[in-house]
Amino acid sequence: MKWHSLSLVSFLLITWFTKPLPVQAQNDKDDILRIRNRYNAALKNYDDKLSLSFMTDGILTTISNGTLIQGKENLREYIKSKSASKMYWVRTPAEIEVNVELGLGWEAGTWKGYTPESEQKSVTGGKYSAQWVKVGGVWKINSELFVKLE
């Protein structure tokens, strides 16, 4: 009986201390944050081709006035139609969560809109959320929702 209890305790301790740490989830969060930073830089540089490369073809984007834009090509056309305004946006994540098994990620935070003339002062802003999907080992934005609060 004593040997059985000791074996059970040993097994539980070994199992506890050899549990894999959620390293993959942290790496995925870091990947999403890195992509978000590259995306922000692309927006600031008005590089539409690069910024759209971070999205799935079927992206769903709800812009701050509530209009839903479906698909990367429609989003490209919308951006092209607004190119004279020269506004760029910066998204600042407050939270990122990842489900590694499902290849899904959640991001939420604040967004600010800037013009070249506004320098460091935003002219608009609010809250946003984004759904990420892992496609071929690469994280892509699958949907975004923007709510104007400023």
Side-chain angles (χ1 to χ4, degrees):
M1 183 69 167
K2 201 175 196 183
W3 175 250
H4 179 68
S5 296
L6 183 59
S7 295
L8 180 60
V9 169
S10 297
F11 172 77
L12 291 174
L13 286 173
I14 289 169
T15 303
W16 175 260
F17 287 113
T18 59
K19 256 185 7 181
L21 297 174
V23 174
Q24 184 62 44
Q26 186 59 46
N27 289 343
D28 285 323
K29 285 182 185 182
D30 292 342
D31 287 347
I32 288 172
L33 185 56
R34 193 171 20 262
I35 294 166
R36 176 56 74 192
N37 289 333
R38 289 179 57 211
Y39 181 52
N40 282 337
L43 290 171
K44 188 172 184 178
N45 291 320
Y46 305 103
D47 188 341
D48 299 335
K49 183 176 180 180
L50 180 59
S51 66
L52 289 168
S53 74
F54 301 118
M55 302 174 179
T56 63
D57 289 338
I59 182 143
L60 297 173
T61 305
T62 304
I63 60 176
S64 62
N65 69 5
T67 300
L68 175 64
I69 301 171
Q70 187 172 4
K72 191 188 293 189
E73 287 308 312
N74 290 331
L75 185 56
R76 182 187 324 274
E77 289 302 314
Y78 176 81
I79 292 168
K80 226 166 48 174
S81 74
K82 303 294 182 189
S83 64
S85 71
K86 284 298 182 193
M87 182 172 280
Y88 68 90
W89 301 268
V90 175
R91 281 81 166 186
T92 304
E95 89 181 274
I96 297 173
E97 293 184 32
V98 174
N99 182 316
V100 176
E101 292 81 26
L102 295 177
L104 293 173
W106 163 262
E107 175 190 3
T110 57
W111 65 272
K112 302 277 185 185
Y114 300 87
T115 62
E117 302 81 36
S118 70
E119 296 178 9
Q120 297 297 318
K121 185 170 171 44
S122 65
V123 296
T124 188
K127 300 280 188 177
Y128 79 94
S129 61
Q131 178 199 40
W132 292 78
V133 294
K134 202 164 196 180
V135 179
V138 178
W139 286 103
K140 299 272 188 175
I141 302 166
N142 194 47
S143 65
E144 290 185 296
L145 167 67
F146 298 94
V147 179
K148 183 177 178 174
L149 298 172
E150 297 175 16

